[in-house]
Amino acid sequence: MSLCRIYNLQGHLRAVGKSLGSGPYLGKKTLNAIPTVPQLRVLSSTSLVRDKQTTVTAAKPVQKQHDWNRAVSEAEKIVGYPTSFLSLRWLLSDEIANVALHLRKLVGSNHPLLKTAKVLIYNGKNNMQAWGLIVLLISKAAGHAPSIPDLEQDKSAGVLHSQRALAEVTEMIRTSHLVHQGLVNLQPLANAGNELSGESEMIFGNKIALLSGDYLLGNACLQLAGLRNQELIELIASALRDLAESNFIGDRDQQNNPLPSQPIQRKERVDEQLDCTDLGFGDLEDNIQPMRIQDVLGNPEKEWSLRHILGAGSLLGKSCQGALILAGQPVKLQKQGYLFGKHLSLAWQACIDLEPFTSPKLPPGTRFSLISAPVLFHLEHDHSLYEEIKEGRESVDNIDYVKLHSVIMKGPGPEKTRKLQKKHSLAAMAVLNELAPSDARTALQNIILAMQDL
């Protein structure tokens, strides 16, 4: 492929990024002028991408942003790994270049896929796209068995070629999941089958989200099969099952947005924290099996943990575990790898959930996740708030987020979320402390510390 062609492909992607960042899509007047689609039903079970985009209330101090970027940048140098899937290898792909061209046609349509694309193109600190980087860092920090042939090793980076392939598989699965969240249902069930000619742009956006997500997922499965490790394939397949199951946990509004479960009445109010290493889902006994969900919904910490382990923590944890399987490490250390990835993901999610509640007032029009940790903790403290949540059973747009934010800010939710984030950070640190000192271990510790500034 000629150098000129490479430049042209890179130019297409940059043009999409500029259109998303400064074009008419983000203009306030243009957004107001775009007619809203009646009775849109978002098919995603988790509002991860949307919430992170809409809950940013104020700019963080510059030094904090640099702390995160520096931690990730230094970690990349250790394993020689570009964190984004938009690496040179992907830029040379005709399929990805075609997706970029189609995305330009969606600019101005207000399709949710554009928000996802912006998150993927601009690798900010809040999207955690460095999952492949984390897999490689834990691989290098743990090392590999002496029996691994030299041809399997990338000696310059200190990891195995198969571990690098697994890191790419992890990012492709994660990215495909986020892309699929951009699908929307343009009709309520009662009107299914009617003509939608007036919504051609939204239909086109749905096609791009579906096909591009399927393309990434298909390639991930192909690359995973190429590793020829039955145990690893079964492990990652169970993570895909968990991702699918996350779409059906808990209550939903008519647009399929997640809602918190009604808080359970406790006979005795116990303030002690759950055990960091066992959240009660059976995943430590055999994490290939589905997680147990009995007596989870309505319990704030367990419900929050289950939702986010299924939606994200399972994939990262099992990818870290899989990297140690490829390295020939003992089963006990493999399980520690799973715990590290799971707790790291939960610590990061707690930071994201806390972000809207770092400001005393919520700007009008801003929304935050109704299944975030501060909301669930406050529901346990004050059951009457659930009456406000019930206003969103038909649509979460009916909820007064400013009022909800004001009430939660006065309760114990934000402080309990800080403790939750610290607990999972310490649990991840405890796993790292079991490993021998190395530059990779230090890089992972720095990433955990940098999360405090998210």
Side-chain angles (χ1 to χ4, degrees):
M1 184 175 290
S2 67
L3 186 61
C4 180
R5 175 168 171 73
I6 296 175
Y7 287 153
N8 288 338
L9 293 179
Q10 291 174 328
H12 290 317
L13 287 169
R14 292 195 189 98
V16 174
K18 291 180 180 179
S19 299
L20 295 177
S22 59
Y25 169 67
L26 293 179
K28 183 175 180 181
K29 294 182 179 180
T30 306
L31 279 176
N32 292 336
I34 297 174
T36 58
V37 180
Q39 297 179 316
L40 282 182
R41 180 170 179 252
V42 182
L43 296 181
S44 63
S45 68
T46 173
S47 52
L48 177 64
V49 175
R50 181 181 64 250
D51 290 340
K52 288 185 294 185
Q53 292 293 321
T54 59
T55 57
V56 176
T57 58
K60 297 284 185 179
V62 175
Q63 184 59 36
K64 292 184 178 181
Q65 169 78 15
H66 286 188
D67 287 344
W68 171 261
N69 289 340
R70 183 168 60 251
V72 172
S73 178
E74 291 175 353
E76 288 176 352
K77 296 175 184 177
I78 293 173
V79 292
Y81 183 78
T83 64
S84 173
F85 88 105
L86 293 175
S87 61
L88 181 61
R89 180 159 117 70
W90 282 95
L91 287 173
L92 296 177
S93 166
D94 291 336
E95 290 83 359
I96 296 300
N98 288 334
V99 169
L101 289 173
H102 290 311
L103 283 176
R104 297 186 69 176
K105 300 177 183 178
L106 290 178
V107 173
S109 68
N110 201 27
H111 194 281
L113 179 59
L114 292 174
K115 295 180 181 179
T116 305
K118 182 179 179 182
V119 170
L120 297 176
I121 292 174
Y122 295 104
N123 262 319
K125 61 181 180 178
N126 284 354
N127 62 36
M128 201 60 172
Q129 271 296 295
W131 282 26
L133 172 64
I134 291 170
V135 172
L136 290 183
L137 286 172
I138 197 67
S139 301
K140 184 172 183 178
H144 55 265
S147 58
I148 302 295
D150 288 346
L151 291 177
E152 293 291 325
Q153 302 176 29
D154 181 355
K155 293 185 178 296
S156 62
V159 298
L160 306 181
H161 295 298
S162 56
Q163 289 173 329
R164 192 174 294 278
L166 177 60
E168 292 184 0
V169 166
T170 302
E171 283 208 349
M172 280 191 282
I173 293 175
R174 172 67 168 166
T175 303
S176 70
H177 181 63
L178 295 179
V179 169
H180 278 148
Q181 302 306 314
L183 279 169
V184 296
N185 191 343
L186 302 179
Q187 292 178 325
L189 186 60
N191 295 334
N194 293 340
E195 186 64 37
L196 281 174
S197 57
E199 306 294 344
S200 59
E201 289 182 338
M202 302 298 286
I203 294 174
F204 180 73
N206 275 357
K207 291 179 179 179
I208 296 300
L210 178 63
L211 295 177
S212 57
D214 286 352
Y215 168 77
L216 290 171
L217 185 58
N219 271 273
C221 294
L222 180 63
Q223 192 162 325
L224 180 63
L227 295 177
R228 298 180 181 275
N229 188 307
Q230 182 63 34
E231 183 181 3
L232 176 65
I233 292 174
E234 186 178 8
L235 183 68
I236 301 302
S238 69
L240 284 170
R241 178 207 62 218
D242 292 340
L243 281 174
E245 187 176 349
S246 69
N247 294 330
F248 302 96
I249 292 294
D251 296 332
R252 307 272 159 172
D253 70 353
Q254 293 184 7
Q255 298 175 336
N256 205 42
N257 293 304
L259 294 170
S261 302
Q262 184 170 0
I264 58 177
Q265 296 286 347
R266 290 191 178 183
K267 295 181 180 179
E268 296 181 2
R269 188 166 297 277
V270 181
D271 293 329
E272 62 183 3
Q273 298 289 331
L274 291 172
D275 186 350
C276 282
T277 56
D278 186 3
L279 295 169
F281 308 133
D283 55 337
L284 289 187
E285 301 166 12
D286 183 4
N287 62 355
I288 297 294
Q289 299 301 319
M291 295 181 189
R292 296 193 296 262
I293 63 173
Q294 293 82 2
D295 301 323
V296 170
L297 299 181
N299 183 315
E301 185 166 3
K302 281 194 173 185
E303 178 177 341
W304 177 86
S305 300
L306 178 66
R307 286 179 183 272
H308 294 296
I309 290 175
L310 289 174
S314 175
L315 177 60
L316 183 58
K318 292 178 180 179
S319 295
C320 292
Q321 179 181 350
L324 302 187
I325 291 175
L326 293 171
Q329 295 290 0
V331 174
K332 182 179 179 180
L333 186 56
Q334 295 171 17
K335 291 291 187 180
Q336 291 297 306
Y338 170 72
L339 287 176
F340 171 76
K342 180 177 73 172
H343 287 298
L344 179 64
S345 174
L346 291 176
W348 167 76
Q349 185 62 50
C351 291
I352 298 300
D353 287 355
L354 190 60
E355 190 171 14
F357 300 94
T358 56
S359 176
K361 291 186 178 181
L362 188 71
T366 303
R367 287 170 48 175
F368 52 85
S369 173
L370 296 175
I371 58 170
S372 62
V375 177
L376 295 178
F377 280 128
H378 193 92
L379 284 174
E380 181 190 35
H381 167 72
D382 180 10
H383 290 188
S384 64
L385 187 67
Y386 190 69
E387 296 300 318
E388 187 73 25
I389 299 292
K390 288 168 65 175
E391 296 293 327
R393 283 196 176 277
E394 182 175 344
S395 172
V396 294
D397 294 331
N398 297 333
I399 293 178
D400 187 345
Y401 283 90
V402 174
K403 177 182 177 181
L404 202 65
H405 179 274
S406 176
V407 172
I408 293 173
M409 284 294 295
K410 299 174 183 177
E415 182 58 32
K416 284 191 173 184
T417 304
R418 293 185 186 94
K419 292 180 179 179
L420 182 69
Q421 188 276 331
K422 182 179 180 181
K423 183 178 74 171
H424 287 294
S425 293
L426 291 175
M429 283 285 196
V431 175
L432 292 179
N433 291 335
E434 298 292 326
L435 305 176
S438 65
D439 52 355
R441 190 186 81 165
T442 301
L444 286 170
Q445 290 171 335
N446 289 338
I447 287 176
I448 294 174
L449 293 174
M451 284 184 181
Q452 314 303 317
D453 295 332
L454 289 182

